[in-house]
Amino acid sequence: QNISSKMQIALLICGVLFALLAYSVYEPMPDYVLDRGFLTLGHSVWRIFDAVGDLTEYFCICESEVVRRQVFSLILPPPKNTSRVLFTYEQFADSRTLVARPLKPSGAALIYIHGGGWAVGSPEMFSETYEELADKTGITVFAVRYRLAPEQPFPAAFDDCLSATLAIFDAAKSLGLDAGRIAIAGDSAGGQLTASIVQQLRRSGSPHRPKLHLMVYPVTQVVNLRTGSMLQHTNAPILKAEHMPRYVSLYLAGSAVAARWVAENGHVTPAVRAAYETATGQTLPAAAAVEAASAGIRDSVASRVASLATDWRVSPLLATDLDQLDLPPAHILACQFDPLFDDAIMYANRLQRAGVRTRLIKYRTYHGAMSLPRDGLEIRVYVTKMLLEELS
């Protein structure tokens, strides 16, 4: 009887703890989410990782993003070869690139740069999407791996992706590729890197000209983190508005020290404000009067963040010479329930004003949906059809 009572008490305690855990990690999904079960489970797992990461950060072990990265590297299965698509790893410059080759390659290629706020993510996270694209289009997909913040802040990601892109173009003939049918694409922070790299290829006078560039719900500027879509979609699935200041701080400052300051647009100096308003034609919302010193930020860090915020390698929207670059055609895919929705719209408008052939497509879904079965289906269908038409 005594053992039975103890067992009952233990089970009761376990039940209560499990209920509390489930309650703490559960997040209700908006009505527009179709992959509700998948996303609910993913969010719950993500929040558990967040809690572990917060602990490591609290005890000054490492940033929480490092923990997430390590956990995902352990649980993500390696890409699986199929009868129609073969995965290999190949070195291009300093990038151990994941390559998806179709059984019958067409000679066209897609260089893909993954997202993740410059701090998380990997090519392996989207291997099923690469497989689908390679299978349905005959295009060889090169998923570039790049160094991540906070251990490797700016310009590591940009430099790695640019070097890998140049190396792939240089090796096109030996790889059986037609250099005139290579496109560059990326999502989220990878969309930003895509835009900046294509600008650099044109700006530097490189002989390599991508056939097109595709940006899926991209970051296009890090000056105004209080855009209308940032304020409207504060609690959207996957990417929440509160995540962006932290990612910007990790990437530009090498730690999360400037996150709150950036969130209040504290990094917006008069010069930064002028650059943003000149590029967009929009008035920047007034910044909170948050001095860097009072926010616990060293002057050197504050100066670095403010100066890099307008650098085209970070904020391609703010490049001053877009109309002189003769950029290749651009396809920009924006999601209506995304904190970065306005970023996509602003960059599309800016490219159009610069005379770049630009197509902007808006989807009634959310940031990060592209690889999901139902919520990302319309995006994948468009990308597949577009690549077949443009790279044929």
Side-chain angles (χ1 to χ4, degrees):
Q1 183 66 34
N2 190 35
I3 295 177
S4 178
S5 297
K6 288 182 179 179
M7 181 66 74
Q8 290 176 1
I9 293 172
L11 289 172
L12 178 61
I13 293 173
C14 288
V16 171
L17 290 175
F18 183 80
L20 289 172
L21 176 64
Y23 177 78
S24 66
V25 300
Y26 173 73
E27 181 177 333
M29 292 293 114
D31 292 341
Y32 54 78
V33 173
L34 301 179
D35 292 299
R36 190 173 301 270
F38 184 91
L39 206 58
T40 298
L41 177 61
H43 265 233
S44 298
V45 172
W46 190 265
R47 292 180 72 170
I48 292 172
F49 293 166
D50 271 350
V52 175
D54 289 344
L55 283 175
T56 64
E57 224 169 274
Y58 179 79
F59 289 107
C60 301
I61 299 172
C62 65
E63 306 284 359
S64 62
E65 285 75 13
V66 178
V67 174
R68 288 187 215 160
R69 210 186 303 150
Q70 293 298 326
V71 172
F72 274 115
S73 69
L74 292 173
I75 65 176
L76 270 179
K80 292 183 178 180
N81 294 328
T82 69
S83 60
R84 299 174 62 86
V85 177
L86 175 66
F87 283 100
T88 59
Y89 286 100
E90 299 179 25
Q91 196 73 25
F92 294 99
D94 293 325
S95 172
R96 185 171 180 260
T97 299
L98 177 63
V99 182
R101 280 192 175 82
L103 179 64
K104 297 180 179 179
S106 67
L110 177 69
I111 300 171
Y112 196 88
I113 305 173
H114 70 80
W118 311 281
V120 293
S122 69
E124 289 78 10
M125 289 185 69
F126 305 98
S127 60
E128 291 184 359
T129 301
Y130 310 145
E131 179 193 336
E132 181 179 341
L133 284 174
D135 182 25
K136 292 184 176 180
T137 66
I139 293 170
T140 302
V141 181
F142 295 82
V144 174
R145 189 184 312 278
Y146 55 91
R147 289 171 292 170
L148 299 171
E151 304 97 317
Q152 300 290 337
F154 176 87
F158 174 83
D159 288 346
D160 287 354
C161 293
L162 176 61
S163 297
T165 296
L166 291 170
I168 292 168
F169 267 101
D170 287 340
K173 186 175 181 180
S174 64
L175 293 169
L177 302 176
D178 178 354
R181 295 163 59 210
I182 298 177
I184 304 179
D187 64 284
S188 193
Q192 176 272 309
L193 290 164
T194 294
S196 295
I197 285 165
V198 170
Q199 286 187 21
Q200 173 59 8
L201 291 176
R202 304 302 300 149
R203 191 175 282 115
S204 67
S206 168
H208 304 311
R209 178 184 175 86
K211 185 72 179 291
L212 63 91
H213 59 314
L214 164 68
M215 292 146 284
V216 183
Y217 33 76
V219 182
T220 64
Q221 56 83 35
V222 299
V223 168
N224 183 11
L225 300 185
R226 298 178 64 81
T227 62
S229 58
M230 282 280 188
L231 297 176
Q232 182 179 2
H233 303 298
T234 56
N235 204 36
I238 301 183
L239 179 70
K240 304 188 184 307
E242 66 183 25
H243 294 159
M244 281 307 301
R246 180 180 175 89
Y247 286 144
V248 170
S249 180
L250 291 172
Y251 188 43
L252 301 187
S255 76
V257 65
R260 290 189 179 182
W261 181 63
V262 168
E264 297 295 336
N265 283 355
H267 62 308
V268 179
T269 63
V272 171
R273 176 181 295 275
Y276 179 87
E277 294 182 352
T278 298
T280 65
Q282 301 178 16
T283 301
L284 192 63
V290 182
E291 295 293 333
S294 64
I297 303 168
R298 296 194 309 272
D299 288 345
S300 60
V301 173
S303 176
R304 172 181 166 84
V305 172
S307 64
L308 290 178
T310 59
D311 191 310
W312 56 265
R313 293 172 295 173
V314 175
S315 295
L317 172 68
L318 306 189
T320 59
D321 58 350
L322 282 185
D323 57 343
Q324 303 168 28
L325 296 181
D326 186 27
L327 294 173
H331 295 255
I332 300 178
L333 311 187
C335 295
Q336 294 180 7
F337 307 108
D338 178 8
L340 296 178
F341 180 75
D342 286 350
D343 273 45
I345 303 303
M346 288 190 293
Y347 196 55
N349 291 339
R350 184 82 202 283
L351 290 179
Q352 287 170 344
R353 292 200 304 272
V356 180
R357 180 164 70 88
T358 305
R359 185 168 188 187
L360 171 68
I361 311 289
K362 302 174 187 177
Y363 295 95
R364 195 177 183 278
T365 188
Y366 49 91
H367 191 97
M370 183 174 68
S371 60
L372 295 178
R374 299 173 66 191
D375 289 318
L377 179 60
E378 193 176 358
I379 295 176
R380 296 196 307 278
V381 168
Y382 172 79
V383 171
T384 300
K385 181 180 179 182
M386 180 272 292
L387 291 175
L388 280 170
E389 293 175 351
E390 296 275 6
L391 300 183
S392 60

